[in-house]
Every structure is written in C-alpha cells, then in structure tokens.
Amino acid sequence: MKKPKVLVTRQVANEAIALLEPAAEVKVWESDEPIPRERLLAEVEDAEAVLSMLTERIDEELLTRAKKLRIAANMAVGYDNIDLPACKRRDIWVTNTPDVLTEATADLAFALLMATGRRLIEADRYVRNGEWSSWSPSLMAGQNVYGATLGIIGMGRIGEAVARRAKGFGMRIKYCNRNRKEQAEAETGAEWASLETLLRESDYVVLLTPLTEETRLLMGEQQFSWMKPTSVFINVSRGGTVDESALYQALVSRKIWAAGLDVFQQEPLPQDHPLLSLPNIVALPHIGSATEQTRADMAKLAAANIVAVLEGRKPLTPL
C-alpha cells in the first residue's frame, strides 16, 4: 500500500524527518530559500500533509489544488499565513508549535531589550569602525534596565516568560491583555493596565501579541505619542502589528528613544527601508525562536502532529 505524501517546505531537523518516514513518503524542499509558489502549488496536489513555515500561504488558491490535504502543520506559534476558515470548511486540521519556543523567544526579546536600551550594537560598530579614540561621560550612554518599568502588550506564554526575566532585573512590570493573568501577577508582581496607561508609564514596551484583525497596526501614531521620549519599543510579535511609518516618525522626532525589531511588515526587509537609516534602531532577521535546540523541537512537534493525523488520531496542538 502506497504511503501518504507529506510535503516539508524547508530543510528541517533530521529527527523530524525520521518521525515522518515510517508513516509517509516525505518530500522535502531542500533549500534554505522559500519554495517557489508555483512549485508549492504543484507539490500539494497529491499531498495529504504539509509541514509549512510562515513564508508559505495556505490559502484558498492552494487548498483548491490540495484535494487530498488532511493537515497543515505550521512550524511556528503564529498562523496568520493560514486561512483557518477555509481549512475548517474542508475538515483540514491546522496545528502550530506552542510551548517549545517560549523560553527561546523570551530570551531573544529580553536580549533585544538590553541591546537596544544599552546601545550594544551601535557600540560594537563604533569600536569596529575605529571611531573609539577616547573616553567621555556621554560615550554610548544608554538607558537603565535594572529597576526600569517594563510594559508587556500580550501576556501569553512568552509574555509571562519575559516578565519572569524582568523580575530578576528588579523591573516594575505592567501588562495589557484581554484577560487578567492572576497567576503571573502573583509570580512576577506584574500589574494589569490599559494600553494607554502602560505606554505612558513604561520605560520599555515589548509587543508580543499575535497578528489578528484586532491587533493589526495596533501600534500607530497615537500609541507612540503616549510613550516617553526616553522609552524603548521592542517588537517580537508580527510586523503587521506596527505602523512602521508612524514608528519611523516617532524615532526621527525623538518622541521615543529607540526601537528593537525582530519582525517587519515585509520580510526580508528591503535594504532601502527608512527604518534602517536610523542609528537608534536594532534590526534582527526574525530570529525569536532561533536556537538549534528549539528549531529542532518545533520541527519534531510539527511532524508528530502530522503522524497523529495520518494514523487517524487527533493532533497534539490543534488550532
């Protein structure tokens, strides 16, 4: 009996492929570059499962071609690249990879906060470019981290993990979330606040919401105007949650002090993007979960979800 076909849209950890091979014929797009759209559409026509990345749109066009598809397993927490209603109409499972990337992403968020607040990337360039000729009291002076006020927008698993790190730095923590998180409040001392209050009172603002219709362009001109001129904005959520033109203007006019960004509306970011012209920006290439161990765990969880569905069981992390 012929095994069902699984399409893996990027090279992933060998352990994940090993999980799939006993149950399926595995077709891997063996490149670090995204699979071309036309090739993706052709390959899914006879696939019963796809292990996808955020770079692949699982939309109406693709689903119309993928007559045999039973599961789309996204190797990410986010799933704004997948048309959930269209999958539901076709009884196609959609899964993501929560939990396994929480701590790695929280590490990155806090590292980005510190690198931006203390001007670490700028200081590194200063030394490498041979500009360091003497010491002065104002040389690469940044903002305090220890004892500062941190505002977390989106107190999910990653937000709570960031709050735990902030507690170790003696930070006062405020958070904005649809629901109160009493356990997180008890554990970290975090205080619930409205978005406006959080933005007005925080020295650092970390955005960690998923991209939904409610959060699209959540941070715009009005929101940046509420922030302190010494405040630092960090985005480790999705690029679509921020009005980048408004952010650029806030940075140029010094309405806010600096920004650290791991995500952008267009990825990869064009080299002529206005934000890259600013010295008070730290820009990263969407590497929130990028540790070798975490990416392997994400791939294995996505593979385990696929195997469960192909064997007639419910997946581990269904959306």
Side-chain angles (χ1 to χ4, degrees):
M1 183 176 176
K2 187 178 180 181
K3 291 181 179 180
K5 176 182 172 180
V6 174
L7 174 63
V8 181
T9 64
R10 203 73 62 85
Q11 289 187 29
V12 296
N14 290 334
E15 302 98 307
I17 302 301
L19 283 174
L20 292 169
E21 286 179 333
E25 172 197 339
V26 184
K27 180 66 176 292
V28 181
W29 175 251
E30 294 183 346
S31 171
D32 270 341
E33 296 298 319
I35 182 171
R37 178 68 175 179
E38 286 306 314
R39 181 68 178 272
L40 174 63
L41 293 176
E43 292 288 355
V44 297
E45 287 188 350
D46 59 346
E48 295 192 33
V50 58
L51 196 162
S52 57
M53 314 293 152
L54 285 170
T55 47
E56 283 80 59
R57 297 192 321 277
I58 310 298
D59 54 13
E60 189 70 38
E61 180 189 31
L62 182 143
L63 295 171
T64 299
R65 301 273 290 267
K67 302 294 187 183
K68 297 182 177 181
L69 195 64
R70 297 164 62 188
I71 176 173
N74 221 34
M75 194 176 130
V77 170
Y79 47 88
D80 45 278
N81 59 313
I82 298 181
D83 187 334
L84 290 182
C87 289
K88 187 174 182 179
R89 287 194 300 271
R90 293 169 169 83
D91 292 324
I92 296 170
W93 286 103
V94 178
T95 64
N96 66 344
T97 56
D99 298 329
V100 294
L101 51 67
T102 296
E103 301 301 337
T105 307
D107 282 346
L108 187 282
F110 209 82
L112 186 54
L113 179 156
M114 295 187 69
T116 307
R118 292 300 307 271
R119 301 173 67 180
L120 300 185
I121 309 303
E122 189 180 355
D124 177 81
R125 287 197 298 264
Y126 184 80
V127 174
R128 292 176 185 274
N129 292 340
E131 299 174 59
W132 185 22
S133 59
S134 65
W135 182 91
S136 76
S138 61
L139 178 63
M140 290 296 158
Q143 302 291 335
N144 284 341
V145 176
Y146 189 88
T149 298
L150 171 65
I152 300 173
I153 304 174
M155 196 66 151
R157 297 180 183 90
I158 299 170
E160 291 182 20
V162 170
R164 290 194 295 271
R165 286 153 178 76
K167 182 181 179 182
F169 279 75
M171 301 182 87
R172 181 187 179 193
I173 304 163
K174 293 185 174 294
Y175 76 96
C176 178
N177 201 62
R178 285 183 298 180
N179 305 308
R180 292 284 294 269
K181 293 297 189 76
E182 295 181 359
Q183 183 175 342
E185 291 176 9
E187 182 182 355
T188 65
E191 308 166 11
W192 185 89
S194 67
L195 180 60
E196 181 176 352
T197 298
L198 181 151
L199 292 172
R200 289 189 182 280
E201 297 185 6
S202 296
D203 300 304
Y204 293 87
V205 173
V206 178
L207 183 58
L208 288 166
T209 62
L211 178 60
T212 66
E213 288 308 310
E214 291 75 23
T215 64
R216 190 175 298 278
L217 301 182
L218 174 65
M219 290 296 297
E221 181 180 359
Q222 177 68 77
Q223 289 71 34
F224 289 120
S225 74
W226 288 334
M227 294 175 65
K228 300 178 182 181
T230 54
S231 62
V232 175
F233 175 69
I234 305 294
N235 188 12
V236 193
S237 59
R238 287 289 180 271
T241 58
V242 176
D243 181 336
E244 290 178 352
S245 296
L247 174 59
Y248 175 83
Q249 291 301 325
L251 290 162
V252 168
S253 61
R254 291 290 180 174
K255 290 181 180 177
I256 67 174
W257 192 76
L261 309 171
D262 185 44
V263 290
F264 300 88
Q265 290 184 2
Q266 181 181 346
E267 296 179 359
L269 191 65
Q271 284 299 295
D272 61 352
H273 195 289
L275 286 171
L276 293 182
S277 69
L278 302 180
N280 51 342
I281 278 280
V282 175
L284 302 180
H286 202 149
I287 56 171
S289 62
T291 71
E292 291 184 4
Q293 300 90 338
T294 298
R295 291 283 168 86
D297 288 342
M298 293 167 66
K300 287 188 289 185
L301 178 54
N305 278 318
I306 289 173
V307 171
V309 169
L310 293 182
E311 294 179 347
R313 295 179 283 112
K314 182 178 178 180
L316 285 71
T317 55
L319 288 167

